Amino acid sequence: MASGTVRTPNPNSRPAVLVQVANALYALGNFTVFCFKSISSLTTKGVQRGTLLPAAYQIGVQSIPVVALTGLFIGMVLAVQSYFQFHQLGMENRMGAMINITLVRELGPVLAATMLAGRVGSAIAAELGTMRVSEQIDAIDSMGISPIRYLVVPRVTACLLLVPALTIVADLVGVAGGFLYSSLALNIDAAQYFYNSKEYVTGFDLATGIIKSVFFGISIGLISCYHGFLCRVGARGVGRAATGAFVSAFVIILFLDLLLGIALDTIYFQFNPGGNSLL
Amino acid sequence: MSKSKETIDVTRLDEPLVQVDNLVVSFGTHEVLNGVSFSIARGQTLAVIGESGCGKTVLLKSLIGLIQPAAGSVKLSGADIATISSATLAELRTRTGFVFQQAALFDSLTVRENIAFPLSFNEPSDQSIEERCDQLLIELGLDPSISDCYPGELSGGMRKRVGMARALMMRPELLLYDEPTTGLDPIVSDVINELILRTRINHFVTSIIVTHDMKTVRKTADRVLMLLPASQLNKGENQIIFDGPPSELDRTSDMRVQQFVRGDAGDRIAALVSDNSFTDGEWK
Ligand SMILES: Nc1ncnc2c1ncn2[C@@H]1O[C@H](COP(=O)(O)OP(=O)(O)OP(=O)(O)O)[C@@H](O)[C@H]1O
Ligand SMILES: [Mg+2]
């Protein structure tokens, strides 16, 4: 190839593993720098006028139907699943508490974010990837305009604001779905259902869900913009950016869900040593 | 970001506008530029030629910092772009126009919004911007009525000219053209050549034109650099194998330059056959 010696790694030798590790660390470092640049641009310069609204429309408004549908099914599935167990214990009147806690703390935020990673994240990655491949991002840069500020900041901000908002939509529809299925199909007493929900679902449960969704939103925004910016030439490159964005965002959402679940519960039990048991 | 207030002295006309020293660019283990050095005086039009994949686009992008070199330096108006603040670099870039190989117009914006993009970002839109867009379109031989079209509705030649208009919007002092005539018919190519010449006179710009098109070279350039792919270099050889006025191209004794100028495959086919990737008229 080039003048001088070029070492091609042998895939069967141990150094090849090291090369892989080195590449992974390099990518992680790259992503960290990207996040740092984006967040510092957001905090020091704010959002460029006229860029937030189109991003918010694309990310938020157009996602309402799918997110609401997701919420509806989660609520109903939870009702179906918990009924059998609660019925055997003769506690079906307390199902509302269980359904709604699971919904607002866990499944609402996680599944809404997963849905949005698929719908919004891959669309952002494909759009920015196409712009990278057709040199539009270079063109922005060549005019002395920061592509991070013009393209990334509005999208990350929109995700940051709208993923929690859409999570609330999913929660609301889910609560309604769980209630309707329980009272209409399973003949649970409506008053009991709501009384128990009110007793056991705390503000902390709601806050846990919303705090999680804020982190999910930032992750979806940053990960999908990063995949778009790194896109390789060709239609296959754009496709890979889109699926790559979804897969990484999904893994990170689950990882953050675990981490935040542990962290927030630890904080909670510092202040409420007894907790709040269903039994 | 910009703690130190650097000032770039634009009045020093004796300083070369662009100075490249020992530029090395590689992607992984693939070395594309291998110690390239040259400088351009103000007002000069430099053509960069060389076969596909030799690193012409990479060189052009490195000049304004779109690609980070592994070693070496680029100075614009005497300022080393690797050491100045990002704000100063942005300021230098606003004085540079880049015409991209595929025009790189923004698909979601109309022609007028594309051309006004570099300005509309900094200043509120006003009447004079719109007038200037129309004026540039006319200057480049386009009908101002296309300004409400989207780039997808234009032909390749029109898109290239809109890309030129966008590059001229900021009244640059340096224009970088990446293959301005590739993929266009001979007549439109010649129109573009004329426009490059006219732009040079009307706007007094310094230009670097990356091209394969020998007609463009002869018509527009006063100096030519020819790059060889780093992989084809002999040991210790400079990657720029030709540097001189276009008229010298025919007189040089270097066979590789002559082959390129004449567009002659030479022993390439023979080389392919001997390395067994092309036998009996079929690729393996
Ligand atoms: N972002 C990149 N990542 C990896 N390799 C790259 C990248 N950009 C360019 N290259 C490699 O650098 C080499 C030079 O590319 P470049 O685009 O500069 O060629 P060129 O001389 O402009 O060719 P053409 O005339 O076909 O446009 C090619 O081998 C290409 O594969
Ligand atoms: Mg090129």
Side-chain angles (χ1 to χ4, degrees):
Chain A
M1 275 177 94
S3 64
T5 51
V6 178
R7 270 178 297 169
T8 36
N10 173 2
N12 297 322
S13 68
R14 198 171 281 151
V17 179
L18 293 181
V19 169
Q20 296 256 323
V21 172
N23 283 346
L25 285 176
Y26 180 75
L28 190 67
N30 245 347
F31 179 62
T32 312
V33 171
F34 181 82
C35 294
F36 178 77
K37 277 188 189 164
S38 309
I39 290 167
S40 79
S41 171
L42 174 62
T43 49
T44 57
K45 297 192 191 117
V47 185
Q48 175 68 34
R49 184 168 39 86
T51 57
L52 184 59
L53 225 55
Y57 179 75
Q58 185 200 4
I59 291 165
V61 179
Q62 297 186 341
S63 302
I64 292 174
V66 285
V67 166
L69 210 61
T70 312
L72 182 71
F73 284 117
I74 306 168
M76 299 203 298
V77 167
L78 278 172
V80 173
Q81 285 302 320
S82 48
Y83 178 73
F84 181 66
Q85 306 287 337
F86 277 70
H87 181 66
Q88 285 190 327
L89 294 169
M91 287 171 64
E92 50 278 57
N93 285 339
R94 298 202 176 174
M95 266 173 61
M98 144 76 191
I99 292 174
N100 290 329
I101 290 178
T102 315
L103 194 68
V104 298
R105 282 184 69 124
E106 207 56 52
L107 291 185
V110 170
L111 289 181
T114 306
M115 194 72 217
L116 290 169
R119 212 202 85 86
V120 171
S122 43
I124 291 178
E127 185 188 7
L128 296 189
T130 308
M131 291 186 76
R132 161 64 76 203
V133 170
S134 60
E135 298 183 309
Q136 293 176 49
I137 295 181
D138 280 336
I140 294 174
D141 224 348
S142 78
M143 295 170 195
I145 298 164
S146 156
I148 297 252
R149 176 143 195 250
Y150 184 71
L151 297 173
V152 177
V153 168
R155 285 169 175 78
V156 172
T157 311
C159 285
L160 167 67
L161 298 174
L162 290 168
V163 172
L166 289 163
T167 300
I168 293 173
V169 171
D171 285 352
L172 285 175
V173 180
V175 168
F179 168 68
L180 288 177
Y181 193 84
S182 304
S183 61
L184 297 181
L186 304 172
N187 293 318
I188 311 276
D189 182 57
Q192 287 281 347
Y193 187 94
F194 268 114
Y195 173 77
N196 275 299
S197 300
K198 193 169 148 277
E199 281 298 287
Y200 290 104
V201 182
T202 61
F204 175 76
D205 295 318
L206 270 175
T208 302
I210 303 300
I211 291 171
K212 282 178 178 175
S213 69
V214 169
F215 282 90
F216 296 162
I218 301 179
S219 313
I220 293 172
L222 285 172
I223 290 171
S224 42
C225 288
Y226 178 71
H227 276 272
F229 265 51
L230 269 199
C231 185
R232 291 291 164 124
V233 174
R236 193 184 289 173
V238 174
R240 275 173 54 175
T243 46
F246 173 69
V247 172
S248 342
F250 186 39
V251 172
I252 293 295
I253 286 169
L254 294 179
F255 177 67
L256 282 177
D257 188 45
L258 175 68
L259 222 60
L260 289 167
I262 296 170
L264 291 168
D265 275 358
T266 310
I267 295 170
Y268 182 71
F269 285 114
Q270 291 285 321
F271 295 102
N272 298 287
N276 197 359
S277 163
L278 261 189
L279 292 172
Chain B
M1 286 276 155
S2 59
K3 283 182 204 93
S4 58
K5 257 278 176 274
E6 294 133 309
T7 45
I8 293 160
D9 194 356
V10 288
T11 53
R12 287 209 38 203
L13 293 177
D14 54 327
E15 184 111 52
L17 186 57
V18 180
Q19 180 159 5
V20 177
D21 282 309
N22 223 351
L23 196 67
V24 179
V25 176
S26 33
F27 298 99
T29 53
H30 176 27
E31 197 168 52
V32 178
L33 297 179
N34 149 19
V36 171
S37 307
F38 63 94
S39 67
I40 309 163
R42 275 167 203 279
Q44 204 171 45
T45 299
L46 174 77
V48 179
I49 58 175
E51 68 181 72
S52 201
C54 71
K56 305 183 296 298
T57 303
V58 168
L59 174 65
L60 217 50
K61 287 187 178 170
S62 310
L63 293 183
I64 53 168
L66 296 180
I67 289 176
Q68 308 291 332
S73 71
V74 175
K75 288 189 184 128
L76 292 179
S77 303
D80 185 339
I81 62 164
T83 57
I84 56 179
S85 71
S86 56
T88 317
L89 179 60
E91 211 269 314
L92 275 175
R93 283 174 178 170
T94 61
R95 290 197 259 128
T96 309
F98 202 122
V99 182
F100 286 86
Q101 198 161 347
Q102 311 290 341
L105 300 178
F106 306 119
D107 307 317
S108 54
L109 303 180
T110 63
V111 167
R112 181 182 286 122
E113 288 165 340
N114 261 288
I115 298 175
F117 188 85
L119 281 185
S120 60
F121 207 82
N122 302 314
E123 299 155 33
S125 65
D126 67 42
Q127 198 62 37
S128 65
I129 291 184
E130 226 164 82
E131 269 169 27
R132 197 167 144 67
C133 284
D134 288 353
Q135 188 195 328
L136 278 170
L137 284 174
I138 294 169
E139 194 181 316
L140 296 178
L142 292 169
D143 189 335
S145 67
I146 65 161
S147 49
D148 292 319
C149 295
Y150 285 89
E153 301 167 297
L154 306 180
S155 76
M158 288 159 101
R159 253 180 269 164
K160 274 229 163 114
R161 282 184 273 176
V162 173
M164 270 177 86
R166 183 176 69 184
L168 286 170
M169 192 66 185
M170 296 288 276
R171 301 189 169 85
E173 51 183 7
L174 174 65
L175 260 181
L176 308 173
Y177 296 93
D178 194 358
E179 308 205 5
T181 57
T182 308
L184 304 179
D185 72 62
I187 295 171
V188 177
S189 294
D190 202 47
V191 170
I192 300 265
N193 292 340
E194 284 291 334
L195 291 173
I196 293 173
L197 276 178
R198 228 195 288 166
T199 304
R200 177 185 185 179
I201 296 160
N202 293 351
H203 300 267
F204 191 71
V205 289
T206 309
S207 319
I208 302 180
I209 306 169
V210 158
T211 186
H212 300 288
D213 185 343
M214 293 316 294
K215 216 172 153 210
T216 304
V217 173
R218 293 185 204 281
K219 190 154 185 172
T220 60
D222 15 67
R223 183 177 155 205
V224 188
L225 297 184
M226 177 160 167
L227 288 183
L228 205 66
S231 55
Q232 292 177 21
L233 289 175
N234 300 322
K235 209 170 166 77
E237 195 182 19
N238 193 325
Q239 196 167 3
I240 298 177
I241 56 168
F242 179 88
D243 181 356
S247 56
E248 289 284 317
L249 279 171
D250 302 312
R251 276 178 247 147
T252 173
S253 57
D254 192 324
M255 279 311 290
R256 298 167 297 185
V257 179
Q258 293 227 1
Q259 263 183 18
F260 187 86
V261 171
R262 287 199 310 265
D264 160 10
D267 52 4
R268 291 292 176 89
I269 296 293
L272 287 174
V273 171
S274 71
D275 79 2
N276 288 332
S277 51
F278 185 76
T279 36
D280 301 332
E282 271 186 33
W283 291 95
K284 274 198 184 162

